[in-house]
Amino acid sequence: MIRFPWQRWSLAVKITSMMTLSIVLAVASVTLLSLHRERQAFRRELKSQAQLMLDLMEISAQDALYYQDVDLLSDLMRRLGKDRYIVLSSRIYDNQGQILVDASDQSLKYGIQIDPFAQQVIAQPAILFQWKSDSLLAGQAVTIENQTLGAISVELSTAPLNRKISTVRDRGILVAFLAVIIGMLLSLLLSRSITNPLQHVVEATKRLAEGDLEQQLALQNEDELATLANAFNRMTAQLRETILTLQQTKEKAEVANRAKSEFLANMSHELRTPLNAILGFTQIILRGDTSPQEQHNYIEIVNRSGEHLLSLINDILEMSKIEAGKITLNPGSFDLYRLLNTLEEMFRLKAQAKSLQLLFERAPEVPQYIQTDESKLRQVLINLLSNAIKFTQEGGIVLRVVAPSKLENKEKIELIFEVEDTGAGIAPDEISRLFEAFSQTESGLQSNEGTGLGLPISRKFVQLMGGQMKVKSTPNYGSVFRFNIQATLANSQDIDKISPQGKVIGIKNEGRIPRILIVEDKPINRQLLNKLLTTVGLDVREATNGQEALEVWENWKPQLIWMDMRMPVMDGYEATRRIKAESQGKKTIIVALTASALEEERAEILETGCDDFVRKPFREAEIFTTMATHLNLNYVYQEAQKSPTPQADSPKTLKRPLEEQLQQMSSEWIEQLQQSAIKGLDDEIMKLIAQIPEDNGSLAKTLRDWTNNFDFDAILELIQQCQKG
């Protein structure tokens, strides 16, 4: 790379040189501009004078040329030649351009050859000007009544202009010289006033680069350099704060990394537990040496394991959407009372298994039908109730719901939910990080369960529903989680009451069998949905992509289409748009099937033209409920086989007998049971249960129920109670 000498100059030299050069250029520009203006003004004046002389000559030359009076022409030339300082020459031409009289060099010449300039003058009516190095030649035709008699020309000297330009040039050089001298002096003074403070800044910057963050500049000026010094001082202060913040951020990142590592370790355990059950029991079923009842039980275990695995995956996906800012609210109308009753039934058995009291308290003013995101509200309550039961060893859990007051809009209402337990409580120093992702309290780590995602997800869901979540806790006395949401009042007519009442085995024949088209590129998914629909007597056809779906629709006209949205050749989006663009296509119900985890994709799919949305993996009830809603179907249900459901014993009658039965087992057996429960090895637990004597049947049944529900913490609690006894 070429380096120019000025790159090595100091800043003072550069400033002085640049200012001096600028002054020289400015003076030179002014001088050149002045010379140019003088030249243009003189030329205009000379052209005016030449035009005036030609006008006078034309008047005198008309008669002489008309009568070819040479004496008169000669007399005219002598008068013009008096001022040889200005008029260098003058000529008169005939109409052929031949010189009749030439007055130059203080003499008259006659009968000279043709002049090309005269021919140009005769050829055009206007005055012709021609500039030479030291003169101006001007010519004009002489005419009478549109008849060209000849031409005249005059040549004027530019010597006065040259003398004037020389004077201006000399004066400009003198001014430039004086300006350069003055400019250099001013440049030196200015460069010192700039470079000296800058030198202080440079030295302070060097010390700052060496790690001295306490540098401060104090300049007495009140100009831009003082502003620079103040900015430097602020920068050093911000730099100190930034470095401190980075150190704190680094420490937080290290804590988060440790939390994620712990999360991955826990997640491995949480995922392997249901996967182990799924793989283990499917292998047992495939061996074919089990009875139908055993196969049915094993399939139920596989189904519950799959549901549990799906719940874990959904938690991870929800957390990733929250961190990516892609979580949205999807409000809908629902029965709040039914939701609370369902949750109470769901957690009743778990609470009774741990001899805990579970109470649901609903204030009278709480409305039955509301509109908000039911799925997110359910997940928040499930997370809080699950944690309460998990960390409570004695006492009970209470869920309270109140509606303190209506908002300004009469259709709006605020609901407050409160989950209180008598569990281990949370230490004050742990509450601050309770809602951090992948973070668990000491109690959570000791339980060897959970992912540390439930509470962060719950708080975000509550915020989306227009509320906040708070917690109060006292170690060894329990915790209270309280949150509020904003909801809209709904009518009972808005609630979808169509839901299968059991296993659907057919449709009520009302003279029509709905035509259903399945559009899915995966053969296994087509086979699953086809089998489910044909079993109940529906007329079903299949297509492997959107293009085939269009052809089947045009020829068969199905009433409902199950449309997969991502397929080769033509995807479900394009196929839906084309079908809905037809007049008959608007009557066809199209339900989207998608494996996407993004809830907001629902809006995009519905905008495409789909009438409804079902996410994979779907449940049988979702499929039949959706078709019943859009096709107004009535189903035939299989009568439920009523089998005696064992009632959970009361805490006082259940707790002791189980402990006594467990104490009858060997210490090696109890140790194996404890390790299997900690690791979530339900197949190993089932093998151990098989070793329990028939006299302890209630112990075997209870352990089997807990294992099927993956309630390993109940097993561990029973073992701890037995060891304490």
Side-chain angles (χ1 to χ4, degrees):
M1 180 178 178
I2 301 176
R3 293 182 61 86
F4 297 98
W6 60 269
Q7 293 177 326
R8 296 189 294 268
W9 293 353
S10 65
L11 183 60
V13 174
K14 289 180 180 179
I15 293 175
T16 303
S17 302
M18 291 299 295
M19 291 190 63
T20 303
L21 180 60
S22 299
I23 293 173
V24 170
L25 291 176
V27 173
S29 299
V30 172
T31 302
L32 292 176
L33 179 61
S34 182
L35 290 174
H36 177 73
R37 293 179 62 182
E38 289 291 341
R39 181 187 295 274
Q40 294 299 322
F42 183 81
R43 285 192 169 195
R44 288 193 297 271
E45 182 182 352
L46 201 60
K47 287 174 67 175
S48 299
Q49 188 173 359
Q51 184 175 357
L52 178 61
M53 294 179 67
L54 289 175
D55 291 340
L56 295 175
M57 289 175 62
E58 181 185 14
I59 296 172
S60 302
Q62 284 178 349
D63 294 338
L65 287 173
Y66 185 79
Y67 294 107
Q68 294 293 315
D69 189 345
V70 178
D71 293 335
L72 184 58
L73 292 173
S74 300
D75 183 59
L76 176 61
M77 291 298 99
R78 289 190 187 94
R79 290 198 304 271
L80 289 174
K82 290 181 179 181
D83 190 1
R84 290 298 174 186
Y85 178 73
I86 298 176
V87 181
L88 298 179
S89 66
S90 56
R91 293 175 179 175
I92 299 177
Y93 311 91
D94 61 13
N95 57 7
Q96 299 298 321
Q98 184 174 358
I99 300 174
L100 296 178
V101 180
D102 182 5
S104 60
D105 300 330
Q106 299 182 356
S107 62
L108 296 176
K109 300 177 182 179
Y110 306 95
I112 308 176
Q113 74 277 5
I114 294 176
D115 188 350
F117 177 74
Q119 292 179 333
Q120 295 179 22
V121 172
I122 294 172
Q124 67 179 24
I127 298 176
L128 179 63
F129 295 98
Q130 189 177 80
W131 288 97
K132 297 183 179 181
S133 59
D134 57 353
S135 63
L136 170 64
L137 180 60
Q140 180 179 347
V142 179
T143 59
I144 295 179
E145 296 180 355
N146 295 328
Q147 178 181 358
T148 302
L149 302 178
I152 56 177
S153 68
V154 63
E155 185 175 7
L156 304 181
S157 174
T158 59
L161 172 63
N162 294 333
R163 288 193 299 272
K164 192 171 185 179
I165 289 175
S166 297
T167 302
V168 173
R169 182 187 60 230
D170 295 340
R171 186 170 61 247
I173 292 174
L174 178 60
V175 171
F177 179 75
L178 294 175
V180 168
I181 298 298
I182 297 173
M184 290 182 66
L185 294 176
L186 294 176
S187 300
L188 288 174
L189 295 175
L190 180 62
S191 63
R192 287 187 178 182
S193 65
I194 295 176
T195 55
N196 288 343
L198 285 178
Q199 187 62 34
H200 293 302
V201 175
V202 171
E203 293 175 357
T205 305
K206 289 180 179 179
R207 290 194 296 270
L208 181 64
E210 294 172 355
D212 186 1
L213 300 179
E214 302 300 328
Q215 288 298 312
Q216 292 291 321
L217 289 175
L219 298 181
Q220 303 301 324
N221 306 21
E222 296 183 0
D223 53 9
E224 288 80 359
L225 291 175
T227 304
L228 176 62
N230 294 332
F232 178 85
N233 295 335
R234 290 195 300 270
M235 181 191 70
T236 54
Q238 293 175 357
L239 186 59
R240 288 193 298 270
E241 295 178 1
T242 301
I243 292 176
L244 180 60
T245 303
L246 288 175
Q247 290 175 345
Q248 296 174 348
T249 304
K250 179 182 177 182
E251 294 174 357
K252 290 182 180 179
E254 291 175 350
V255 172
N257 286 334
R258 288 195 299 270
K260 288 187 177 182
S261 299
E262 295 171 358
F263 160 76
L264 292 175
N266 292 338
M267 202 72 251
S268 175
H269 166 73
E270 294 289 331
L271 292 175
R272 287 176 182 272
T273 299
L275 282 174
N276 183 60
I278 293 171
L279 295 176
F281 283 104
T282 52
Q283 290 172 5
I284 293 175
I285 295 171
L286 290 174
R287 283 205 299 264
D289 55 357
T290 55
S291 65
Q293 182 60 38
E294 287 178 322
Q295 288 185 2
H296 181 76
N297 293 336
Y298 294 159
I299 291 173
E300 286 184 346
I301 294 173
V302 170
N303 183 65
R304 286 195 298 269
S305 300
E307 295 282 352
H308 182 57
L309 182 61
L310 179 62
S311 176
L312 293 174
I313 294 173
N314 285 337
D315 275 353
I316 298 173
L317 293 176
E318 289 291 354
M319 196 66 234
S320 65
K321 288 191 291 184
I322 288 174
E323 291 185 341
K326 293 185 176 295
I327 196 73
T328 57
L329 192 68
N330 297 287
S333 300
F334 64 95
D335 188 338
L336 178 60
Y337 291 5
R338 184 173 62 184
L339 171 62
L340 296 175
N341 293 336
T342 302
L343 293 176
E344 186 174 9
E345 294 174 2
M346 180 188 304
F347 288 99
R348 177 69 62 190
L349 181 60
K350 278 192 173 185
Q352 290 178 346
K354 296 184 68 174
S355 302
L356 299 175
Q357 187 178 16
L358 179 64
L359 297 177
F360 275 55
E361 298 178 357
R362 185 184 68 240
E365 66 271 12
V366 173
Q368 181 174 0
Y369 304 109
I370 64 171
Q371 185 181 65
T372 186
D373 195 322
E374 180 183 9
S375 174
K376 290 181 173 57
L377 177 59
R378 179 190 294 109
Q379 187 168 347
V380 172
L381 293 174
I382 288 175
N383 284 336
L384 296 180
L385 290 170
S386 297
N387 288 341
I389 292 177
K390 182 193 303 184
F391 299 115
T392 301
Q393 307 306 328
E394 59 181 1
I397 297 96
V398 181
L399 170 62
R400 301 184 183 90
V401 187
V402 297
S405 61
K406 289 186 178 181
L407 303 180
E408 294 180 0
N409 187 341
K410 295 183 179 180
E411 298 298 322
K412 296 286 187 179
I413 191 170
E414 181 185 24
L415 296 175
I416 297 178
F417 297 81
E418 190 174 87
V419 177
E420 182 178 1
D421 64 64
T422 57
I426 305 169
D429 59 331
E430 292 182 328
I431 291 180
S432 60
R433 55 187 179 88
L434 192 62
F435 296 103
E436 295 179 2
F438 313 111
S439 178
Q440 289 183 288
T441 63
E442 187 65 28
S443 300
L445 295 174
Q446 291 176 358
S447 69
N448 200 30
E449 291 185 43
T451 61
L453 296 178
L455 288 178
I457 292 173
S458 298
R459 185 176 68 167
K460 183 61 179 179
F461 284 176
V462 169
Q463 291 173 349
L464 282 174
M465 291 184 284
Q468 293 293 330
M469 179 178 289
K470 299 179 181 179
V471 58
K472 293 188 299 182
S473 182
T474 303
N476 302 322
Y477 284 93
S479 304
V480 178
F481 284 84
R482 179 187 176 95
F483 69 90
N484 66 309
I485 64 170
Q486 308 299 326
T488 304
L489 295 177
N491 298 319
S492 59
Q493 294 81 2
D494 300 333
I495 310 301
D496 183 12
K497 295 184 172 62
I498 302 176
S499 60
Q501 302 168 355
K503 180 180 179 181
V504 177
I505 59 175
I507 59 174
K508 293 183 179 180
N509 192 352
E510 299 175 353
R512 62 185 180 90
I513 298 178
R515 296 185 298 276
I516 309 297
L517 174 60
I518 301 172
V519 187
E520 170 67 68
D521 62 321
K522 304 297 182 184
I524 295 177
N525 293 339
R526 289 200 308 274
Q527 180 183 3
L528 171 63
L529 194 54
N530 192 323
K531 181 65 175 177
L532 185 64
L533 300 182
T534 54
T535 301
V536 300
L538 295 171
D539 190 4
V540 179
R541 291 189 184 181
E542 298 180 0
T544 60
N545 56 63
Q547 186 63 46
E548 290 185 14
L550 289 175
E551 297 173 0
V552 175
W553 176 81
E554 291 176 354
N555 299 325
W556 195 48
K557 295 297 186 295
Q559 277 89 28
L560 186 141
I561 300 176
W562 291 102
M563 181 74 73
D564 183 27
M565 303 311 291
R566 299 185 183 275
M567 297 178 292
V569 183
M570 181 186 294
D571 60 21
Y573 295 95
E574 182 62 23
T576 300
R577 279 191 287 266
R578 293 193 183 186
I579 292 174
K580 289 296 185 178
E582 301 291 336
S583 57
Q584 294 184 350
K586 293 180 173 62
K587 301 178 182 179
T588 304
I589 302 300
I590 301 180
V591 181
L593 286 172
T594 177
S596 172
L598 297 177
E599 186 69 27
E600 52 271 14
E601 188 174 342
R602 178 192 297 266
E604 180 184 354
I605 290 175
L606 296 179
E607 288 176 0
T608 303
C610 292
D611 299 279
D612 211 336
F613 176 99
V614 173
R615 182 181 290 110
K616 302 174 187 175
F618 53 77
R619 293 172 176 81
E620 177 181 336
E622 291 182 275
I623 299 298
F624 289 121
T625 299
T626 302
M627 291 192 299
T629 301
H630 294 285
L631 298 180
N632 195 25
L633 296 180
N634 295 314
Y635 297 117
V636 178
Y637 300 99
Q638 183 182 37
E639 293 185 5
Q641 297 181 353
K642 295 184 179 180
S643 57
T645 302
Q647 297 295 326
D649 297 295
S650 66
K652 294 182 179 179
T653 59
L654 175 65
K655 189 173 182 181
R656 244 357 274 179
L658 287 181
E659 292 178 5
E660 292 176 358
Q661 295 176 48
L662 184 61
Q663 288 174 349
Q664 295 177 7
M665 305 301 295
S666 65
S667 58
E668 293 81 2
W669 187 91
I670 296 175
E671 177 65 22
Q672 293 178 12
L673 178 64
Q674 184 178 26
Q675 293 300 321
S676 298
I678 291 174
K679 296 178 181 178
L681 303 177
D682 50 346
D683 54 344
E684 294 295 331
I685 296 175
M686 288 297 185
K687 293 178 182 179
L688 292 170
I689 293 174
Q691 302 175 18
I692 298 176
E694 294 182 0
D695 295 341
N696 297 334
S698 60
L699 173 63
K701 181 184 180 305
T702 302
L703 292 177
R704 188 179 295 109
D705 290 341
W706 287 345
T707 304
N708 289 337
N709 289 300
F710 303 105
D711 198 357
F712 302 121
D713 54 346
I715 298 176
L716 294 173
E717 171 64 18
L718 178 61
I719 294 173
Q720 291 176 2
Q721 294 295 333
C722 178
Q723 291 172 347
K724 291 179 181 179

